[in-house]
Amino acid sequence: MSSFSVVQNRARRCGLALVWQAGLAYIRSMTIRSDILVAGAGAAGLTTAIALAEAGFSVTVAGGLDTRRNGRTVALFEASLRLYRSLGLWERLEPLSNPLRRIRLIDDTTNPFRLPPVELEAAEIGLPAFGANIENAALVEALAAIAREMSGVRLMEGMLGDYATSDDEIEGSLSTGERLAASLLVGADGRGSKVRAYADVGAREWRYKQTAITVLLRHERPHRSTSSEFHTRSGPCTLVPMRPLDESSDGLRHRSSLVWLMSPEEGERRMALSDAALAEEVEAQVHSLHGRMALEGPRGAFPMAGLACDRLVDERIALVADAGHYYPPIGAQGLNLGLRDVAQLVDSLEDHGRTDPGGRNALADYDKRRRGDVALRTLAVDAMNRSLLIHALPVDILRSAGLAAMACIGPLRRALMHEGVAPPGRLPRLMREDRRFAS
Ligand SMILES: Cc1cc2nc3c(=O)[nH]c(=O)nc-3n(C[C@H](O)[C@H](O)[C@H](O)COP(=O)(O)OP(=O)(O)OC[C@H]3O[C@@H](n4cnc5c(N)ncnc54)[C@H](O)[C@@H]3O)c2cc1C
């Protein structure tokens, strides 16, 4: 080959390499980068984005905003309210909620040893209320509005997937076409988490032969800000207090949300009932506690399942809330547990992830500090649920003995109340005290 063609070939190869490099640089420049990418814009994902932005990280949160009305509410307990107060958000959320001052537990099984109802008062542990009940869709709408107002948060609507990890970052594609990259990917994409599926995390899922029906109800008599939990043979049926209407023409101005666990067959049958017929069945189930009832808006039906993961982290990935653990809505622990993940993630990143939020130290700290709490709640809720479903005398006796101990032994009752609403021990900083950020 002549020296001229050698030079010509080299130039051609060099040119191609340059074009290739320029192409890569162009694609990289098209990628939207931030310190942290949050997959999922539900209550957990939006709270994560807001809290991490307040801690000084740049955050992109990507997800489909699910604000469908399906009668689903969340009872948020004291530690979760402290988180929102610390972030300066509670003023925006409180008007949407109703306080939970009392919890009434009613054994409504055929257990021959069943006790009279047990009533727990927040005042007994020095709180005005255990927490507050808020419609899920209203919470998501309010958090999304707050996130949109924040300079440190970019909220992008669409589904995220097609992940790839390199040494110093993790990338994902949005269904609208954008490529997003960050040092850390937070999986807050709920039960069917794609982030969990991508991560090398062992997960065990199990199902219960139960469906939860949710719906908002209007009723005749006031609820006294009391949540009433009827423990039936198919699971709990709970009325959770909501803000009353200013007025109503039919005398039904008081409001509660319903979470009613039942067999899948009964769930199917009840979902097919007319509004009036379902309201009648609810009224019968709760022994007309709040008088006459009517349904307010659409219903939801949720098959009951549980999930436990070996760990909540993988390379440049952290899972929070339902993406990392879930169980049936007994004792209203689900999102409360998820928000403790969020608050701990903020601590771990502030303490160990300032320069590299997705680095090993920060993620190991997060995983270590969340394991015990998640495992304990998953076990406790599972045991409580199964104790209702198993028709066996020894189990009935045990359950009644537990309830009797709670009713009669003040220190035990107070310890359990603390455990349920703001577990003592090492709570993350945002949940320890009111820590208001400058706006
Ligand atoms: C009937 C019922 C009653 C409950 N009551 C209570 C209660 O009183 N108190 C309590 O603390 N907990 C309660 N829970 C549990 C609580 O609702 C959940 O723990 C909570 O909603 C979890 O929030 P999340 O943001 O993790 O998940 P989700 O609310 O499921 O949000 C996940 C979000 O991610 C989005 N998403 C999914 N895939 C992707 C993707 N690939 N890319 C981007 N986004 C994606 C979804 O569209 C969704 O917006 C209840 C649960 C049920 C079923």
Side-chain angles (χ1 to χ4, degrees), residues 160-166 169-172 179 185 189 192-201 311 314-317 319:
L160 202 56
D162 192 17
Y163 296 111
T165 315
S166 63
E169 62 180 19
I170 184 160
E171 288 188 20
R179 195 86 191 138
L185 169 66
D189 47 350
S193 173
K194 282 216 167 84
V195 178
R196 185 179 68 235
Y198 171 71
D200 183 17
V201 167
R311 53 202 174 106
D314 191 26
E315 210 178 326
R316 302 210 164 271
I317 291 177
L319 301 174

Side-chain angles (χ1 to χ4, degrees), residues 235-255:
C237 171
T238 309
L239 293 173
V240 199
M242 295 193 69
R243 291 188 95 77
L245 300 171
D246 290 336
E247 55 190 54
S248 85
S249 53
D250 56 3
L252 305 179
R253 64 176 285 267
H254 303 287
R255 298 164 75 227

Side-chain angles (χ1 to χ4, degrees), residues 44-215:
L46 289 164
T47 307
T48 306
I50 293 168
L52 288 173
E54 287 285 9
F57 296 97
S58 63
V59 187
T60 300
V61 52
L65 280 184
D66 186 0
T67 55
R68 279 170 300 174
R69 257 54 196 188
N70 54 12
R72 187 166 147 194
T73 64
V74 274
L76 294 174
F77 290 131
E78 172 65 14
S80 302
L81 301 195
R82 281 191 215 157
L83 167 70
Y84 286 127
R85 282 188 217 122
S86 299
L87 294 170
L89 310 184
W90 189 237
E91 284 151 29
R92 301 267 296 264
L93 303 177
E94 189 179 16
L96 309 171
S97 72
N98 192 89
L100 296 167
R101 301 196 198 285
R102 287 169 216 89
I103 296 174
R104 191 190 292 125
L105 304 173
I106 304 134
D107 187 340
D108 202 17
T109 64
T110 46
N111 169 11
F113 300 98
R114 70 181 184 274
L115 301 171
V118 175
E119 199 162 293
L120 308 172
E121 286 261 359
E124 219 188 314
I125 52 170
L127 292 173
F130 289 117
N133 188 35
I134 183 166
E135 204 180 340
N136 209 59
L139 176 64
V140 170
E141 267 169 11
L143 291 172
I146 292 164
R148 281 198 186 96
E149 291 162 17
M150 294 179 67
S151 56
V153 180
R154 183 189 281 118
L155 172 57
M156 302 185 75
E157 287 198 41
M159 301 307 256
L160 202 56
D162 192 17
Y163 296 111
T165 315
S166 63
D167 281 351
D168 58 352
E169 62 180 19
I170 184 160
E171 288 188 20
S173 290
L174 204 58
S175 46
T176 45
E178 291 89 344
R179 195 86 191 138
L180 308 174
S183 163
L184 171 68
L185 169 66
V186 179
D189 47 350
R191 293 185 171 210
S193 173
K194 282 216 167 84
V195 178
R196 185 179 68 235
Y198 171 71
D200 183 17
V201 167
R204 185 171 66 88
E205 196 190 21
W206 61 95
R207 303 201 172 268
Y208 301 90
K209 284 193 181 144
Q210 286 168 307
T211 296
I213 290 190
T214 56
V215 73

